[in-house]
Amino acid sequence: MNEKEKNFERLVQEQKSTIYAVCYMFSSDEDEAADLFQESLMNLWKGFDGFEGRSSLAPSWACLWAVA
């Protein structure tokens, strides 16, 4: 596992509850929230290279990408 993958895994482990809660707020349905959570993880991965370090990885950056 490379450094990017390790950092992403750490982010997901630290913020998965927060990201899921944001997804649930948008849907209020557990199945739909789970789908949104998976889509959010894909968005986070796609945007992870763009993280510039000006904000904390958690939770502001992760939540912004989760709803993008």
Side-chain angles (χ1 to χ4, degrees), residues 18 25 28 37 42 48-50 58 60 62 64 68:
T18 302
M25 287 188 322
S28 297
F37 180 76
M42 290 188 296
F48 200 65
D49 285 333
S60 61
L64 285 172

Side-chain angles (χ1 to χ4, degrees), residues 8-67:
F8 184 77
E9 183 177 5
R10 181 177 53 85
L11 168 71
V12 170
Q13 289 303 313
E14 291 174 358
Q15 295 305 314
K16 63 184 172 186
S17 296
T18 302
I19 296 168
Y20 182 84
V22 170
C23 293
Y24 190 79
M25 287 188 322
F26 277 95
S27 68
S28 297
D29 175 79
E30 289 183 25
D31 291 332
E32 189 173 333
D35 290 343
L36 289 171
F37 180 76
Q38 290 299 317
E39 290 177 31
S40 297
L41 293 182
M42 290 188 296
N43 286 339
L44 283 168
W45 179 252
K46 290 175 187 175
F48 200 65
D49 285 333
F51 177 69
E52 298 175 353
R54 289 183 286 165
S55 65
S56 163
L57 270 177
S60 61
W61 187 86
C63 287
L64 285 172
W65 274 98
V67 297

